Amino acid sequence: MKKTLIIEKRKKAKELRKRGWSIRRVASSLVAGKDSVSKWDKMPEDAIEKDERGWKKGRLRVHDE
């Protein structure tokens, strides 16, 4: 999933919740899980624009015994 797509979904979910849509209705409309929509609804406005999923680029992790 592209990062821009998840940010747009978060914005749309917040917008639909403000209109009074239920979490289930928003989830089915955006093809997302109820838990994700609930989490996005509780996010502060500045956190919606950030996407910190996945590993950071650069050095790989080193496994020690």
Side-chain angles (χ1 to χ4, degrees), residues 18-30:
K18 285 180 184 175
R19 290 186 189 173
W21 285 33
S22 70
I23 290 177
R24 285 185 179 188
R25 187 173 173 197
V26 172
S28 87
S29 173
L30 296 178

Side-chain angles (χ1 to χ4, degrees), residues 11 14 18 41-50:
K11 289 179 183 177
K14 286 250 268 197
K18 285 180 184 175
D41 189 36
K42 294 174 186 173
M43 274 185 171
E45 293 294 328
D46 57 336
I48 290 177
E49 295 290 331
K50 296 178 186 175

Side-chain angles (χ1 to χ4, degrees), residues 1-9 51 53:
M1 179 181 292
K2 292 185 179 179
K3 291 186 176 195
T4 55
L5 179 62
I6 193 71
I7 292 170
E8 293 302 319
K9 274 190 172 185
D51 188 10
R53 298 175 300 146

